[in-house]
Amino acid sequence: MHSNEMQLRVAYGRLNVKSIIKEVDVLDMKNEIIETSMNGNEVQFILNPEAEWPLGSPTGKMLTDTDRQSFVYIFDHETGYRYAYFPKDSWGGLVDMLLQQAEPVLIWQDEKILLTGAADELQALIFNIEGNDNYGEEFSTAVEEIFKPVLEKVN
């Protein structure tokens, strides 16, 4: 059960939970990185232009969503937390960020936000995920394959 689902069941009961969960999932899905690019010493993560905005203040924290095969950057918002999802097809930009020690920047339309703490958090996550099937075999294997250059550089 997703944490959003759990919170919604507690808050709204079971009667309307399916439509509420569907609505939350649709909003969350829009908060995905759709493209990455290097610009000098910045790796730019382009957020879906239909994303829920403003995301809020960067927290410097990341986590994983293994169901969506994504890394997730957390923002603190006046209404709670908001998230930017880094799906598997954006992980090349995350690898570049770590290997080149580039500044991670989130771009949404004309807005630009520095993702403070992202590199340290991500590096800790990938080293924790390596060889750890608690994240699910599919996710762990994908992380080990895509982040292999980072893992080899440090090991």
Side-chain angles (χ1 to χ4, degrees), residues 38-55:
M38 287 295 297
N39 184 10
N41 191 40
E42 287 182 348
V43 60
Q44 297 181 336
F45 297 99
I46 313 303
L47 188 64
N48 182 340
E50 296 177 13
E52 181 180 14
W53 195 264
L55 288 176

Side-chain angles (χ1 to χ4, degrees), residues 10-24:
V10 171
Y12 298 103
R14 289 192 168 266
L15 291 177
N16 297 321
V17 78
K18 285 189 179 186
S19 61
I20 294 167
I21 290 170
K22 187 174 184 178
E23 184 176 323
V24 169

Side-chain angles (χ1 to χ4, degrees), residues 70-130:
S70 296
F71 288 98
V72 183
Y73 189 89
I74 305 170
F75 291 86
D76 195 9
H77 188 267
E78 61 190 31
T79 61
Y81 294 109
R82 294 206 175 150
Y83 309 97
Y85 291 83
F86 291 78
K88 209 182 300 185
D89 60 356
S90 69
W91 292 2
L94 295 173
V95 170
D96 290 342
M97 173 186 75
L98 294 175
L99 289 178
Q100 299 177 29
Q101 299 178 346
E103 292 287 331
V105 177
L106 182 77
I107 306 289
W108 180 79
Q109 297 183 10
D110 293 334
E111 302 286 333
K112 183 176 176 178
I113 298 177
L114 179 64
L115 299 177
T116 57
D120 292 337
E121 285 282 305
L122 179 64
Q123 187 157 331
L125 278 170
I126 63 171
F127 282 105
N128 188 51
I129 293 167
E130 182 184 26

